[in-house]
Structure formats: C-alpha cells, structure tokens
Amino acid sequence: MIFCKICGYKAVINRSKREHKEYTKLYCTCKNKDCAHKFVIHLTFSHTTKPSKLEEQNYFKYIIANLPENKKQELRSMLSA
C-alpha cells in the first residue's frame, strides 16, 4: 500500500518505468481530492527470502554441463538404475 507523504491518504500508481531489472520508478497520485499530490517512488530489489526454483534448475544444469564426460556417464548410470 502506498500513502501520500503530505496528507497520509492512500495513493495509486498511475504508471511505472522500469529502469533496470532491480530498479523501477512508480509514478503515483494521492487519492485525496483536496491534496492530489503527484510523486515518484523508487522501488528497488532488496534481497531474496526463498530462492527461485528456476534458479535452482539452472544451477544444476550448469553443474552437469561442466562435469567431465566420465562423471556425466556415471550420473546417467545412477539415474537409470
């Protein structure tokens, strides 16, 4: 939820502009008709609390792709058993 820093009422996001995959500008307007303050909020990525399953899959693909051929064959044998 976004609030106007002038009057404290709720504000709405009118548009956003993604500057970077971890940084976005949010263009907001206060819903209080007597205020109607327009402002920009900077939204930035902070940290991960639970790793993405997609990243985990890519990690395993990277490890397997960089194994020596004999270790890849050993892994295939273990998985097919």
Side-chain angles (χ1 to χ4, degrees), residues 56-77:
E56 185 178 280
Q57 291 170 359
N58 288 335
Y59 177 71
F60 289 126
K61 286 178 186 176
Y62 173 79
I63 290 173
I64 292 168
N66 289 292
L67 284 174
E69 196 54 45
N70 65 324
K71 293 292 181 183
K72 287 181 188 176
Q73 187 56 46
E74 194 177 312
L75 183 58
R76 284 185 201 105
S77 297

Side-chain angles (χ1 to χ4, degrees), residues 45-57:
F45 175 82
S46 174
H47 61 281
T48 299
T49 57
K50 180 180 177 189
S52 166
K53 291 180 182 179
L54 296 175
E55 287 180 346
E56 185 178 280
Q57 291 170 359

